Amino acid sequence: MTVQSLSIAVPAGWPNACRFCVSRMHEEDYTNQIEKNLRFRDLYKRDYRDRLAFARDNGCNSLIFTGDGEPLMNRRFIEETADLNASLGLPFRILELQTSGATLDDEALRWLRNTIRVSTISLSLSSVWSNEKNAEYNGASAGFAIDIDKLCSEIKRYDFNLRLSLNMTDAYNDAGPESVFARAGALGADQLTFRKLYTSGKETRQDTWIMEHSVRENFWSDLSAWVQARGRRLERLPYGALRYSVNGISTVIDDDCMSTAEGKEEIKYLVLRQNCRLYTRWDDKGSLLF
């Protein structure tokens, strides 16, 4: 089994209501055993640790704190998971945080760096240029909008690896790849991921929004050609995507962010839910593995 990463589904609330939010396309009914089942807390902590160890035993090197909400809204859970990881015989060394940037202040950055030992912060942006457009598309609640330039500067000041995960909305329609890379370089990005927006096919409100606000289709062919012409091909990732070095930025074009492609023996990621079980898909309980 080849697994690229382990996604920790941090049970947390939503300070944002992203227009394209995948978790709002389907009902969540994963019982929070690890936090809420106090009577059997020790048992479920062992179950959770076993799943961490299973992923590690199967060659998975990266642990990503993410979730259906904003993971930073449940810092206690993140810290307990980090402690469980540290207790493994061979713990995960690559710890990452996927975030909208909400509540990512100086105190949180210091805690992530010193206590949790996160090395990479993946900042999810719906517009890399406009704070206002990014807040609008991310559905940021009052007080949770971010200043992109300032936040990226602070992330770099604490010496994290900065990955910009670009949700490819129509905010990029008038931009070519060159301008996107120029902006990413100005923000100090070390890594850049272009994420194609996912539709469920269930005609949800989010599906409708995505159909109306995804980046123009020919952006992808323009991007691929531009990256191949100007970048240096590095290697193929376990799930099939190619990684390039472009202007000193590690670059991945992710056209299957929900791992929906069929016929692959490799597993793009495992998802460890709050019910202490592992899945291979975010949107399908039938993908239960262990």
Side-chain angles (χ1 to χ4, degrees), residues 60-74:
C60 184
N61 296 311
S62 298
L63 183 155
I64 303 173
F65 293 106
T66 181
D68 297 316
E70 169 55 59
L72 286 173
M73 301 298 286
N74 193 346

Side-chain angles (χ1 to χ4, degrees), residues 196-222:
K196 193 168 188 175
L197 300 183
Y198 164 84
T199 54
S200 68
K202 299 178 181 178
E203 300 183 354
T204 65
R205 182 172 57 185
Q206 290 76 24
D207 287 326
T208 300
W209 191 95
I210 289 169
M211 295 297 291
E212 295 174 352
H213 294 281
S214 288
V215 71
R216 55 184 170 85
E217 191 58 37
N218 62 349
F219 180 90
W220 296 104
S221 57
D222 292 347

Side-chain angles (χ1 to χ4, degrees), residues 64-93:
I64 303 173
F65 293 106
T66 181
D68 297 316
E70 169 55 59
L72 286 173
M73 301 298 286
N74 193 346
R75 299 184 190 183
R76 178 180 175 181
F77 185 89
I78 291 176
E79 190 157 336
E80 289 188 347
T81 301
D83 288 342
L84 286 174
N85 175 57
S87 74
L88 299 177
L90 188 63
F92 287 88
R93 305 296 185 189

Side-chain angles (χ1 to χ4, degrees), residues 10 63-66 70-83 93-123 151 154-156 158-162:
V10 179
L63 183 155
I64 303 173
F65 293 106
T66 181
E70 169 55 59
L72 286 173
M73 301 298 286
N74 193 346
R75 299 184 190 183
R76 178 180 175 181
F77 185 89
I78 291 176
E79 190 157 336
E80 289 188 347
T81 301
D83 288 342
R93 305 296 185 189
I94 303 175
L95 303 184
E96 304 182 1
L97 172 73
Q98 179 73 47
T99 178
S100 67
T103 76
L104 188 56
D105 55 15
D106 182 79
E107 179 184 348
L109 287 167
R110 188 165 57 248
W111 170 74
L112 288 167
R113 187 82 166 85
N114 297 352
T115 303
I116 307 303
R117 301 297 294 153
V118 164
S119 56
T120 297
I121 292 181
S122 181
L123 186 61
L151 182 55
E154 286 297 288
I155 290 170
K156 294 299 295 182
Y158 275 94
D159 205 22
F160 289 97
N161 300 321
L162 172 60

